[in-house]
Amino acid sequence: MAKKKEDDKKKHVTVVTKKSLQFLEEYINNPAPTGYEWEGQKLWLNYLKPYIDEHFVDNYGTAVGVINPKAEFKVVIEAHADEISWYVNYITADGLIYVIRNGGSDHQIAPSKRVNIHTEKGLVKAVFGWPAIHTRHGEKEQAPELKNIFLDCGCISKEEVEKLGIHVGCVITYEDEFMVLNDRYYVGRALDNRVGGFMIAEVARLLKENKKKLPFGLYIVNSVQEEIGLRGAEMIAQRIKPNVAIVTDVTHDTTTPMINKNIQGDLSAGKGPVVSYAPAVQTNLNKLLIKTAEKNEIPFQRQASSRSTGTDTDAFAYSNGGVPSALISLPLRYMHTTVEMVHKEDVDNVISLIYESLLNIKDGQDFREFK
């Protein structure tokens, strides 16, 4: 019986191509901190352009590709483009630099990390310093905190730091780069959520390559400033005024140590996309996603949120008098570190689920439970 069940299991369909993977690597390696996403947005649009009819960019950098721009009924598929980072906050007289967060940057991973400080003169290399283990004595070791982590860029005075072009307000990103681990996982910084931008671009590619004609306008949206409160999505939702929104972001793989499944739920990288249950998630649109997954034998998992999803889904759902919105999440290990990790098959399956769901949405579809 066990062998029969294994034989009956649908073989995984690979979606990401070698060319796609080359773009993903370039896109992840390019820094795009919150508020400064434009270089990444340019890369994304250049990849997307062969698969769309037109595009536009708003004042803060949210990029939108459009298929069937003249259609009245508008469907959005969306991800966010920004990555967490740091700001220069204070430069000491002896040339050390203290920082504040730009988004939810994790102070505990900072010590000994290499960074790039973005200045008008170009990138300046620096490191997060930390006292050697030999010098840390006492009953209780001091843990890394925002008040005690600092950057060293090799300077010995404030004036020398400033001559490099560094000033209060310069943004700082980690320099860690993309890799594939054991031919199973994509690993890198800012997979939250540039991998989402990659996946929605791949949906557009599939639509074009498979010559699918949608009965509505499709808006492929890569929003800015999600990491500081869904701001880019709030702005672009008002401009597009969509009728439906399907958002993709990451969620926690809860199978690694020190995560409480009683609180975070039971989710695992490699077991498929995650559909969410939350007040912002419109019930009948969510049912469409689930039925699509079941019909196409796409594995999926379920997650419950309390008051909000904490993603751009909330921004779209509560805009323009209420927009039927749903969330498809990608399980991710080690969120907001430089070694964020997602399963290759989950990436393929999120792309497939969004793609197949679009093919099941009708022009003018009414998702209300009753009228």
Side-chain angles (χ1 to χ4, degrees), residues 6-256:
E6 188 67 30
D7 292 340
D8 289 344
K9 185 180 177 182
K10 183 182 177 183
K11 186 178 179 181
H12 176 73
V13 178
T14 301
V15 176
V16 174
T17 66
K18 287 185 179 180
K19 182 180 178 182
S20 301
L21 188 58
Q22 288 174 353
F23 164 68
L24 176 60
E25 181 171 359
E26 181 183 15
Y27 186 45
I28 295 299
N29 289 347
N30 177 82
T34 300
Y36 307 84
E37 299 92 345
W38 48 81
E39 293 300 333
Q41 295 292 63
K42 291 175 186 175
L43 288 173
W44 183 79
L45 270 177
N46 284 338
Y47 181 76
L48 186 67
K49 281 177 182 177
Y51 314 124
I52 58 176
D53 296 321
E54 61 182 49
H55 76 275
F56 61 90
V57 180
D58 77 1
N59 290 329
Y60 278 83
T62 290
V64 183
V66 189
I67 297 171
N68 300 338
K70 295 180 180 179
E72 290 186 16
F73 196 74
K74 301 175 183 178
V75 176
V76 159
I77 56 174
E78 192 263 7
H80 73 83
D82 57 318
E83 68 178 288
I84 55 172
S85 55
W86 303 95
Y87 274 123
V88 173
N89 188 47
Y90 168 56
I91 305 170
T92 70
D94 53 358
L96 298 177
I97 298 168
Y98 286 84
V99 300
I100 58 172
R101 294 183 178 94
N102 183 18
S105 301
D106 189 343
H107 53 278
Q108 291 202 31
I109 71 161
S112 83
K113 298 298 292 184
R114 303 181 186 201
V115 301
N116 292 315
I117 304 175
H118 299 252
T119 79
E120 292 185 3
K121 294 182 178 181
L123 296 179
V124 177
K125 299 288 184 181
V127 298
F128 273 108
W130 193 247
I133 189 170
H134 318 71
T135 67
R136 303 198 306 267
H137 301 293
E139 293 182 6
K140 186 177 180 181
E141 281 202 73
Q142 191 171 7
E145 299 179 59
L146 188 61
K147 66 183 180 183
N148 65 16
I149 58 173
F150 61 91
L151 289 176
D152 188 333
C153 61
C155 295
I156 57 174
S157 69
K158 180 178 180 180
E159 291 74 22
E160 191 178 357
V161 172
E162 291 174 338
K163 283 182 181 178
L164 294 176
I166 300 169
H167 56 74
V168 170
C170 282
V171 72
I172 304 151
T173 57
Y174 294 116
E175 64 176 25
D176 300 67
E177 295 191 338
F178 178 87
M179 68 175 179
V180 180
L181 189 63
N182 196 29
D183 197 30
R184 180 177 289 123
Y185 294 101
Y186 301 135
V187 178
R189 46 163 252 285
L191 289 176
D192 174 15
N193 180 36
R194 284 209 288 279
V195 70
F198 168 73
M199 291 188 297
I200 58 175
E202 288 295 273
V203 172
R205 176 179 67 82
L206 291 182
L207 289 168
K208 183 76 170 184
E209 291 179 354
N210 294 332
K211 299 179 180 178
K212 298 294 184 181
K213 301 295 182 184
L214 298 174
F216 47 77
L218 180 64
Y219 291 71
I220 303 107
V221 180
N222 211 13
S223 295
V224 298
Q225 299 194 25
E226 186 272 351
E227 295 290 357
I228 49 92
L230 323 183
R231 300 309 185 191
E234 288 177 352
M235 291 184 277
I236 205 66
Q238 298 301 328
R239 177 165 176 176
I240 296 173
K241 293 180 169 48
N243 300 98
V244 178
I246 298 174
V247 173
T248 186
D249 205 330
V250 296
T251 192
H252 301 288
D253 173 323
T254 63
T255 64
T256 56

